[in-house]
Amino acid sequence: MRIPWLDVTIVFSLREILIKLYAQKFSSRDLVALCILVIVLVIARSITIKVSPALSKES
């Protein structure tokens, strides 16, 4: 089961991190929060791929 909004959210979060880094307008708290968000979303995406109902039916 693929969740398309999850991919979009990951890309948007990475975009925000890069914008803040290049603009040099960020607090360390904001940067850490966005990085944690990206890590959690990537883990969630990995779990959705690993525990996909489509893959379970093929086995």
Side-chain angles (χ1 to χ4, degrees), residues 5-7 9-11 13-14 17 34-50:
W5 58 264
L6 194 56
D7 294 339
T9 307
I10 292 170
V11 171
S13 299
L14 288 172
I17 290 171
L34 280 171
C35 289
I36 290 172
L37 175 67
V38 169
I39 290 169
V40 168
L41 291 171
V42 168
I43 290 170
R45 187 180 190 292
S46 300
I47 290 171
T48 59
I49 291 172
K50 183 94 174 156

Side-chain angles (χ1 to χ4, degrees), residues 20 24-33:
K20 287 181 185 266
Q24 296 181 353
K25 296 180 181 178
F26 62 90
S27 67
S28 58
R29 189 177 190 179
D30 291 341
L31 193 59
V32 169

